[in-house]
Amino acid sequence: MQQNLSHNPDDRKEATVKPRDLLVLGIESSCDETAAAVISGRRICSNVIASQADLHRRYGGVVPEIASRVHLQAIIPVIDDALRQADVSLADIDVIAATCGPGLVGALLVGLTAAKGLALVTGKPLVGVQHIAGHMAANYLTDPQLEPPFLCLVVSGAHSHLVHVKDYARYQILARTRDDAAGEAFDKIARAIGLGYPGGPLLDKASQGGRTDALSLPRSHFADSLDFSFSGVKTAALNAYNRLKQQAERQSMSWQELLPLADFAASFQQALVDVLVEHTEQALAQTDLKRLTVAGGVAANACLRRSLQAMAERANVTLSCPPPVLCTDNAAMIAMAGSLAYRDGRVDDLSLNAVPYLDLDDETLSRSQN
Ligand code: KG4
Ligand code: ZN
């Protein structure tokens, strides 16, 4: 990549007026994806993701020990690939950003330690990124004009939040889940009905063409809060599945002859989506925000995206959804969040640690726990 490294004073003057976009290397290894990316400003130069899903599939979920070991094998080639595809060298990079939590601690440590090593040998600034802040930052890559304030519905494997993004580094969490996250509920039901791992995308696919009213499932709400609760709908779906199975066994048939898989999946998915959309609509009304974004793996769900779009049109709100590849774990989003944090004056030293339960509102924790 060509950069303006000229020492001509006239060029410097021009560079001050129109500064070169910050070139950031992002590294992500919080769960089962080893990822590295290079961004320039809000533009993605490369976005390399090595997924371990095939390795964990046979266990029905992520095995932390295996995840760490595979991250260790993949991290250097993945970073190399990201630099090569972006056509830059480490020397060109301005900032190195890496996820420092939340996530599997052994997995986090691989990416973070690689980032610390690179920062040490190159002397480049290091910025630790909270993973959910990373997911939300994917929206800045999706829509280069996007600016706070806006509302963000965060729906990942372990988090379901409604976040009022007040400024680039200032958030207010308006709602969170009191039990399971939306992704967790997708994964558990998908596993129970035999779809396997990773459950969310498989259930999304299986639901296509299914009836959304084939099962009567509860939608949980709280009188005084926009918080989420998905354990009730999960248990109700599990009970419905067990009843179908018992009835099918008595009649020596498969449960899917009693209720097509597509109908089961579509009904369960709709119950989750209804709650997510309704609470989002209420949060928009309460805050009077006119911009809505989504973040996290479940934001790749086709039914959720359609329903949010319909609601946004009703509520006269502008919705932007990152493409599915930027909803699930990737390092471009980490680079973007790192870039914003750096512009906000944040740089970490080599004592930065991985924190498995790092919340969005205590990002500083990773800097005080050694
Ligand atoms: O954000 P993410 O990639 O990782 C975490 O930070 O947790 O989210 C993973 C979650 C998993 O629960 C996965 O099943 C779910 O996102 N997911 C989906 C879809 N794609 C991924 N859930 C529903 N529909 C999808 N298309
Ligand atoms: Zn994630």
Side-chain angles (χ1 to χ4, degrees):
M1 175 180 269
Q2 288 293 312
Q3 292 183 22
N4 183 8
L5 299 173
S6 161
H7 292 287
N8 179 327
D10 289 343
D11 286 358
R12 265 211 306 276
K13 196 168 150 216
E14 194 188 333
T16 327
V17 177
K18 201 176 166 195
R20 179 175 66 76
D21 282 328
L22 213 57
L23 201 62
V24 184
L25 170 67
I27 299 174
E28 153 65 34
S29 68
S30 65
C31 190
D32 62 344
E33 256 106 30
T34 321
V38 175
I39 64 162
S40 168
R42 288 189 177 198
R43 188 173 62 82
I44 300 175
C45 306
S46 65
N47 191 19
V48 178
I49 305 167
S51 175
Q52 304 176 4
D54 286 346
L55 286 172
H56 298 287
R57 186 164 290 127
R58 75 186 85 148
Y59 305 103
V62 178
V63 182
E65 183 74 24
I66 295 175
S68 309
R69 277 192 272 151
V70 178
H71 279 312
L72 208 50
Q73 288 168 340
I75 194 77
I76 300 296
V78 163
I79 293 171
D80 263 349
D81 254 15
L83 292 169
R84 199 170 34 77
Q85 287 183 25
D87 199 16
V88 297
S89 73
L90 260 183
D92 300 323
I93 296 292
D94 298 309
V95 178
I96 298 168
T99 309
C100 56
L104 304 168
V105 73
L108 285 165
L109 280 170
V110 176
L112 185 58
T113 307
K116 285 162 83 167
L118 292 177
L120 179 68
V121 295
T122 59
K124 308 277 179 186
L126 169 76
V127 178
V129 172
Q130 201 273 358
H131 184 77
I132 299 302
H135 272 300
M136 295 197 302
N139 286 285
Y140 296 119
L141 294 166
T142 308
D143 177 359
Q145 308 307 324
L146 178 68
E147 280 178 30
F150 56 86
L151 183 74
C152 186
L153 171 67
V154 178
V155 271
S156 72
H159 295 80
S160 304
H161 284 351
L162 275 165
V163 183
H164 182 169
V165 180
K166 297 191 164 182
D167 208 336
Y168 287 103
R170 214 155 53 86
Y171 321 107
Q172 183 187 359
I173 300 177
L174 304 177
R176 47 179 97 226
T177 182
R178 296 197 182 180
D179 39 59
D180 290 355
E184 213 172 336
F186 265 108
D187 291 342
K188 284 179 180 163
I189 293 302
R191 187 175 173 175
I193 64 176
L195 287 173
Y197 169 87
L202 294 170
L203 202 138
D204 186 354
K205 201 160 164 223
S207 72
Q208 282 167 22
R211 284 170 46 216
T212 54
D213 59 353
L215 289 175
S216 162
L217 295 171
R219 274 81 168 149
S220 300
H221 307 285
F222 299 99
D224 54 349
S225 150
L226 291 176
D227 278 356
F228 300 105
S229 166
F230 296 114
S231 66
V233 65
K234 188 191 69 184
T235 308
L238 283 174
N239 289 342
Y241 169 71
N242 287 330
R243 273 197 306 275
L244 279 168
K245 240 176 63 174
Q246 281 165 8
Q247 194 186 337
E249 267 164 28
R250 281 198 299 275
Q251 295 169 244
S252 303
M253 51 168 65
S254 94
W255 69 269
Q256 293 176 28
E257 288 174 78
L258 294 172
L259 183 73
L261 176 66
D263 289 1
F264 192 106
S267 299
F268 174 71
Q269 179 175 265
Q270 193 65 52
L272 252 69
V273 166
D274 283 351
V275 172
L276 291 169
V277 174
E278 200 174 320
H279 289 209
T280 306
E281 189 167 10
Q282 284 174 25
L284 285 166
Q286 282 179 16
T287 54
D288 209 21
L289 288 166
K290 294 289 168 210
R291 267 322 286 239
L292 173 63
T293 63
V294 280
V298 182
N301 183 269
C303 173
L304 177 63
R305 293 166 84 93
R306 269 197 315 272
S307 306
L308 283 173
Q309 187 57 50
M311 180 272 284
E313 280 165 25
R314 254 194 338 265
N316 205 15
V317 161
T318 309
L319 167 70
S320 58
C321 286
V325 70
L326 291 182
C327 291
T328 47
D329 287 350
N330 66 87
M333 66 184 199
I334 301 302
M336 187 69 240
S339 176
L340 295 173
Y342 181 74
R343 285 194 184 283
D344 198 42
R346 251 196 45 211
V347 174
D348 288 299
D349 62 30
L350 295 178
S351 67
L352 182 69
N353 209 348
V355 180
Y357 297 100
L358 185 65
D359 211 340
L360 194 57
D361 33 19
D362 46 43
E363 271 199 90
T364 47
L365 211 63
S366 55
R367 284 157 202 96
S368 56
Q369 288 193 350
N370 290 309

